[in-house]
Structures are given as structure tokens and as C-alpha cells.
């Protein structure tokens, strides 16, 4: 029997980076996404969001591609957000996402980073963070990437 550990740190934003994710329904949104992750036979390790973007660390099942997984997460959570009366500014998720694999030795550090998003974004702007990530990983940055 094959054994696969496919850890991904995934980041995606609201369309136009609208400040549409609110404290009032944030725990429910995280539960909705965790349930979608489970439906896809994957495992949620950590999730957190701020007003305009979301981070999660997942163990991706080898039976689904990352792109199919993300399409399901974004479609189903988008439908939920649109019907939730506490969400007024949400229109959709951005088209893209950032994802990188995580070494097992970096799980704790990644979880700490995800859990500290509220504090982190009080001092670091999301755009500069994405630019730094792109430079570090050799991605070409475009300002519309997470719009």
C-alpha cells in the first residue's frame, strides 16, 4: 500500500481583495471549508483568515489534483458565503491561489504562521508579503494575481 504525505500551504483572496470576510461568520466559514476538505478525502491541519484572504495547511489526498481540490473549495465556500446573511461584500474568490508544499519538519512553524495572521497583518501588508513569496520561490509576480 502506498503512503503519501502531501502537505500544502494554500493562500487565496476575495475577488478584488474586498474586505468581505468578517469575524461574525469566520468560524462558520472555516468549518464549511474544513467540511469540504474532508469531503475530498483530504485533511485540514490549520485554517485562518483575515478580511480579504485565507490561509490553510492541508494534507492533500493523492486521489485529487490540487487544481480540482481548489476548484471545489472555492466553488462550495463561495456559494455558502453568498447565501450567508452576515456576508455583504463577498462576490467571489479571486481567480488564482498560491500554494507551496511544506516539509514535515516545518508543520509547526507553518501552523504558527497561519494562526498568527491577524497579528501578522497589523504590521505586514498582504501585497508586500506576496511579492516577497514570489521572489523567494521564483514566481513571476503580477498585481492581479490575487484579485
Amino acid at each position: 500500500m502506498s503512503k503519501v504525505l502531501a502537505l500544502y500551504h494554500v493562500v487565496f483572496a476575495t475577488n478584488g481583495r474586498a474586505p468581505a470576510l468578517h469575524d461574525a461568520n469566520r468560524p462558520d466559514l472555516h468549518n464549511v471549508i474544513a467540511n469540504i476538505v474532508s469531503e475530498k478525502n483530504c485533511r485540514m491541519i490549520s485554517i485562518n483568515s483575515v478580511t480579504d484572504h485565507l490561509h490553510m495547511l492541508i494534507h492533500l489526498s493523492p486521489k485529487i489534483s490540487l487544481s480540482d481540490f481548489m476548484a471545489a473549495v472555492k466553488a462550495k465556500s463561495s456559494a455558502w458565503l453568498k447565501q450567508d446573511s452576515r456576508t455583504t461584500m463577498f462576490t467571489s474568490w479571486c481567480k488564482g491561489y498560491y500554494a507551496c508544499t511544506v516539509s514535515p519538519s516545518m508543520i509547526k512553524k507553518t501552523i504558527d504562521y497561519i494562526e498568527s495572521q491577524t497579528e501578522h497583518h497589523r504590521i505586514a501588508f498582504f501585497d508586500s508579503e506576496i511579492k516577497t513569496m514570489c521572489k523567494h520561490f521564483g514566481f513571476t509576480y503580477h498585481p492581479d494575481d490575487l484579485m
Side-chain angles (χ1 to χ4, degrees):
M1 177 147 81
S2 300
K3 305 288 184 197
V4 177
L5 181 62
L7 301 170
Y8 283 89
H9 179 184
V10 181
V11 182
F12 55 103
T14 57
N15 188 32
R17 302 276 310 287
L21 308 177
H22 305 291
D23 290 342
N25 66 348
R26 184 167 283 122
D28 293 336
L29 171 62
H30 295 173
N31 284 333
V32 165
I33 292 174
N35 287 335
I36 298 164
V37 170
S38 181
E39 287 171 7
K40 296 299 176 187
N41 296 313
C42 300
R43 187 167 55 96
M44 177 68 71
I45 298 169
S46 183
I47 185 170
N48 200 3
S49 60
V50 292
T51 59
D52 64 352
H53 71 280
L54 184 140
H55 288 254
M56 60 183 174
L57 176 62
I58 55 124
H59 175 216
L60 187 69
S61 167
K63 296 180 180 182
I64 187 169
S65 70
L66 179 61
S67 60
D68 288 347
F69 169 81
M70 287 305 300
V73 167
K74 289 167 85 175
K76 290 182 175 188
S77 63
S78 179
W80 182 85
L81 280 163
K82 288 178 183 177
Q83 64 81 35
D84 186 80
S85 62
R86 298 169 292 181
T87 306
T88 56
M89 296 181 66
F90 184 86
T91 57
S92 65
W93 295 111
C94 64
K95 291 181 183 177
Y97 57 88
Y98 285 95
C100 67
T101 56
V102 174
S103 165
S105 66
M106 294 298 289
I107 292 172
K108 172 83 170 94
K109 187 172 183 177
T110 305
I111 291 169
D112 291 346
Y113 175 75
I114 290 171
E115 289 177 354
S116 70
Q117 283 300 292
T118 302
E119 297 81 21
H120 175 74
H121 284 292
R122 285 189 185 127
I123 57 171
F125 293 108
F126 186 53
D127 288 345
S128 62
E129 182 176 31
I130 293 299
K131 287 178 188 175
T132 301
M133 281 176 45
C134 284
K135 184 177 181 180
H136 181 76
F137 294 115
F139 294 146
T140 302
Y141 172 80
H142 190 277
D144 293 339
D145 282 347
L146 286 178
M147 290 303 247

